[in-house]
Amino acid sequence: MRTQVAIIGAGPAGMLLAHLLAAEGVESIVLEIRSQAYVAGRIRAGILEQSTVDLLRSAGLGERLDREAFEHRGIYLQWPDERHHLDFVELTGRSVFVYGQTQVQKDLVAAREAAGQEVHYEISDTVLHDLESDEPSVTFTDSSGVAQRVTASVVVGCDGSFGPSRAALPDGVRRSWEKTYPHSWLGILADVAPSTDELIYAWHPDGFALHSMRSSTVSRLYLQVPNGTDAQTWSDDRIWESLATRLGHGEGGWKLTPGPITEKSVLPMRSFVQTPMRHGRLFLAGDSAHIVPPTGAKGLNLAVADVGLLAPALAALLLGGDSRLADAYSETALRRVWRCTHFSWWMTTMLHATGDPFDEQLQLSQLRWVTSSEAGATGLAENYAGLPIGF
Ligand code: APR
Ligand code: PHB
């Protein structure tokens, strides 16, 4: 097979890249180890920044989003006996949108299917070749067991944190930074109307809790738990009791309404960045180059920002022979990556209990500052609602 861009991974980064490239008149083939149903069914984060929504709309992917997403003006930040609302619209002129990654993925798959996009699902043995030449290629075994090769002008690794692309950069070239956190999140989906109009981020001595949502009938909630926690050891009753305590059920008349839990899982938390995001004819985008902990919901937004930069860069390179944007891609993308890496780390360290009384006082001091000073609140709001693409 021959194409202009071989894309490894059919997650949001890979599928959106294929979509944006097609709009520029660039052909691509997408390769994915999992089944279409598996990729579509994965439950991930659910907050889109204003710039992500703008990009999806301008790419013709905003129709269902405009009908179904909830636009939120901001978030609540709280600690025992105090709840504060940060109004991002007032502070920065930008809002955020509740629309699950699962929905974004569905819209992308539908749009690419309608356009006849070539996607090979359930492949195996993905190997990248000749990345420093003008004819790189990817070999794999297709779903019928036949050995295949895609030769392209460019290969893009959108294969997430476990894919082979990031390791395809030579050892002497790549550099990585990593931080693991001593806690994880226990996440649940519940068939119950959200008990809040906007997301609640709660600091509590027992551990962090987050009240998020997916729709007017489905709530998504998280609890800080120790690493290595088995989700099955937390009964539904224990989960709702802990959420009620940490989210402040009964304080100021606020109530958390429990409901049937339909999904329960533990998410590890990690920060990771690998540079450069381009080597020869290989480009990395999304989780293949960087992972953030979920506090602040940056993962999907960063993946979208990467491909928002990469698509025009590849179009200029492949259609006009102009390599300037492609040459600048890694450096430009990494500015935002490090900003979001810092923001996600900062939100995580401000909100998660460590058991250290000194940390606790600093966290409370920081929370008081971001909720009472306009400068503090604006800094959080600007990062949460998202810097413009190209920052
Ligand atoms: N060959 C082909 N595809 C692969 C391979 C491989 N060897 N290894 C992994 N993949 C696929 C995975 O199965 C997955 O579908 O690459 C895809 C990567 O998708 P995501 O993990 O969703 O990553 P990305 O598209 O970068 O999206 C980032 O996902 O993890 C969240 O917080 C993150 O929301 C953000 C988003
Ligand atoms: C979610 O809804 O899954 C979510 C929302 C906000 C976060 C993390 C996850 O910071």
Side-chain angles (χ1 to χ4, degrees):
M1 290 177 250
R2 184 168 271 283
T3 189
Q4 287 173 297
V5 181
I7 300 175
I8 308 175
M15 291 303 270
L16 181 59
L17 179 63
H19 189 78
L20 298 176
L21 286 175
E24 303 256 12
V26 177
E27 223 186 52
S28 65
I29 294 179
V30 184
L31 307 172
E32 168 61 53
I33 40 170
R34 301 288 195 161
S35 67
Q36 184 168 348
Y38 179 92
V39 177
R42 274 190 301 223
I43 300 164
R44 293 268 179 87
I47 298 293
L48 305 183
E49 295 172 2
Q50 180 80 57
S51 49
T52 298
V53 169
D54 293 345
L55 192 144
L56 292 173
R57 282 178 180 152
S58 70
L61 296 161
E63 197 209 329
R64 196 161 66 96
L65 188 155
D66 281 331
R67 256 186 293 127
E68 295 180 15
F70 295 157
E71 184 168 359
H72 283 188
R73 293 184 66 92
I75 57 166
Y76 296 96
L77 267 183
Q78 71 170 48
W79 56 96
D81 297 321
E82 282 200 46
R83 177 175 293 172
H84 298 264
H85 186 248
L86 295 191
D87 190 321
F88 301 158
V89 178
E90 247 169 46
L91 293 161
T92 69
R94 292 200 298 279
S95 46
V96 291
F97 296 76
V98 173
Y99 194 64
Q101 180 170 327
T102 317
Q103 308 308 323
V104 175
Q105 183 76 31
K106 259 189 214 155
D107 296 343
L108 280 165
V109 169
R112 291 326 298 144
E113 243 169 26
Q117 174 74 44
E118 193 171 341
V119 185
H120 296 262
Y121 287 99
E122 295 180 71
I123 66 154
S124 49
D125 311 319
T126 317
V127 183
L128 294 75
H129 307 271
D130 306 321
L131 300 167
E132 289 170 16
S133 78
D134 290 343
E135 282 220 321
S137 63
V138 183
T139 53
F140 63 98
T141 307
D142 71 18
S143 57
S144 330
V146 179
Q148 302 277 8
R149 177 184 294 268
V150 181
T151 304
S153 300
V154 160
V155 174
V156 184
C158 295
D159 45 358
S161 43
F162 302 106
S165 296
R166 76 160 66 128
L169 273 84
D171 283 341
V173 170
R174 67 191 166 112
R175 235 186 124 183
S176 64
W177 292 262
E178 185 166 13
K179 182 165 184 67
T180 52
Y181 299 85
H183 33 253
S184 304
W185 279 9
L186 171 65
I188 61 157
L189 270 178
D191 279 339
V192 60
S195 299
T196 178
D197 57 340
E198 297 194 342
L199 271 61
I200 305 172
Y201 286 80
W203 182 97
H204 193 278
D206 290 357
F208 170 71
L210 171 61
H211 191 330
S212 181
M213 62 195 73
R214 287 291 176 274
S215 69
S216 56
T217 54
V218 177
S219 296
R220 176 86 169 139
L221 299 108
Y222 298 97
L223 285 167
Q224 175 186 345
V225 292
N227 284 347
T229 297
D230 173 359
Q232 297 319 313
T233 61
W234 279 71
S235 69
D236 293 9
D237 285 348
R238 183 178 171 207
I239 291 173
W240 284 115
E241 275 164 30
S242 299
L243 286 167
T245 304
R246 298 186 196 183
L247 290 167
H249 175 81
E251 284 171 24
W254 182 78
K255 289 197 171 28
L256 176 68
T257 310
I261 295 178
T262 56
E263 197 267 346
K264 215 187 267 189
S265 55
V266 171
L267 291 70
M269 301 178 88
R270 193 157 78 97
S271 295
F272 174 87
V273 179
Q274 175 174 304
T275 65
M277 287 171 66
R278 182 248 177 119
H279 178 71
R281 289 291 177 125
L282 171 66
F283 294 76
L284 301 179
D287 277 17
S288 71
H290 41 75
I291 310 288
V292 289
T295 331
K298 287 292 157 210
L300 172 60
N301 292 294
L302 260 188
V304 169
D306 285 352
V307 300
L309 283 176
L310 187 53
L314 294 182
L317 179 71
L318 301 176
L319 303 176
D322 180 349
S323 68
R324 282 174 298 177
L325 290 176
D327 292 342
Y329 168 70
S330 179
E331 208 183 310
T332 313
L334 282 166
R335 285 185 56 189
R336 188 189 195 86
V337 167
W338 278 115
R339 180 84 302 279
C340 293
T341 300
H342 175 267
F343 177 67
S344 308
W345 165 86
W346 176 70
M347 286 285 279
T348 302
T349 49
M350 177 169 69
L351 287 163
H352 289 73
T354 65
D356 179 333
F358 179 77
D359 289 351
E360 195 165 289
Q361 292 308 317
L362 293 187
Q363 289 172 330
L364 290 168
S365 166
Q366 182 77 0
L367 282 163
R368 284 189 194 103
W369 181 63
V370 292
T371 52
S372 61
S373 141
E374 194 175 328
T378 307
L380 190 150
E382 188 173 75
N383 281 281
Y384 195 110
L387 296 147
I389 299 247
F391 162 82

